[in-house]
Amino acid sequence: GQQLNQSPQSMFIQEGEDVSMNCTSSSIFNTWLWYKQEPGEGPVLLIALYKAGELTSNGRLTAQFGITRKDSFLNISASIPSDVGIYFCAGHAREPGTASKLTFGTGTRLQVML
Amino acid sequence: DAGITQSPRHKVTETGTPVTLRCHQTENHRYMYWYRQDPGHGLRLIHYSYGVKDTDKGEVSDGYSVSRSKTEDFLLTLESATSSQTSVYFCAISEYKLGGADTEAFFGQGTRLTVV
């Protein structure tokens, strides 16, 4: 099956720092999604990307759909303590209207020091 | 928050016993999914449904079955639970929208299952 490599696996950063993480695929996707998961909760959708080269922001979060369609990046600016959690990328390679079978990365665990 | 309720939230069961997990949605979404989450593996798709009585296998479907008799309910059954099925199980839903937005799956809060 398709593989998604997400890096880094974990990050321990200072409050106020910017954060970058990325996801690469062995094959082409036509949709990239970024989720955040907090302890004891399900993943929550942060950003959705549908076009190669697309750059989308959601508050302090910015994500990009790579030109090759095999990668995506998530940046968090000026991190705050509530950014703590696990961030997952997810990709999809099917045509619109068919069932959504997302492939997930293994996650980036973010911890923020005060 | 999407109206997704999973039950039970926690369960401990013995090896060899049948277990059924329930996912209930109030969004009238067409697609429903069951994922399992394990350390080092992220989220892996078990089964999914694209309509009432329409289901298909995901990448880790062995040992699991599903049923969907109503739009709002999607059941996951472990016919004979094994220790390897100890995991956190998540239900997700999505709906077809023009432009590809049906890939935006929304997740429930999860069911933590322990098989002893």
Side-chain angles (χ1 to χ4, degrees), chain B residues 4-6 21-25 32 34 72-74 91:
Chain B
I4 309 170
T5 304
Q6 290 187 232
L21 309 183
R22 180 182 184 236
C23 179
H24 178 78
Q25 59 142 331
M32 298 186 75
W34 278 106
E72 58 266 34
D73 290 325
F74 193 32
C91 173

Side-chain angles (χ1 to χ4, degrees), chain A residues 89-105:
Chain A
C89 62
H92 201 282
R94 63 94 186 102
E95 293 301 314
T98 61
S100 172
K101 292 188 287 183
L102 296 172
T103 300
F104 281 84

Side-chain angles (χ1 to χ4, degrees), chain A residues 79-100:
Chain A
S79 58
I80 59 178
S82 62
D83 290 335
V84 166
I86 303 176
Y87 292 80
F88 290 98
C89 62
H92 201 282
R94 63 94 186 102
E95 293 301 314
T98 61
S100 172

Side-chain angles (χ1 to χ4, degrees), chain A residues 30-31 49-51 94 96-97, chain B residues 96-104:
Chain A
N30 55 28
T31 302
L49 302 159
Y50 296 104
K51 297 180 182 178
R94 63 94 186 102
Chain B
Y96 174 70
K97 296 177 184 176
L98 289 176
D102 58 334
T103 58
E104 296 175 10

Side-chain angles (χ1 to χ4, degrees), chain B residues 11-21 62-64 77-86 89 113-116:
Chain B
K11 185 172 183 63
V12 179
T13 192
E14 293 185 348
T15 299
T17 60
V19 177
T20 295
L21 309 183
D62 287 348
Y64 302 95
T77 297
L78 290 65
E79 301 292 345
S80 178
T82 67
S83 58
S84 65
Q85 294 176 311
T86 293
Y89 292 86
L113 177 68
T114 303
V115 184
V116 298

Side-chain angles (χ1 to χ4, degrees), chain A residues 35 37 41 50 94 97 100, chain B residues 31 33 37 102 104-105 109:
Chain A
Y35 287 85
Q37 186 178 25
E41 302 292 330
Y50 296 104
R94 63 94 186 102
S100 172
Chain B
Y31 304 115
Y33 317 84
Q37 185 174 34
D102 58 334
E104 296 175 10
Q109 291 188 301

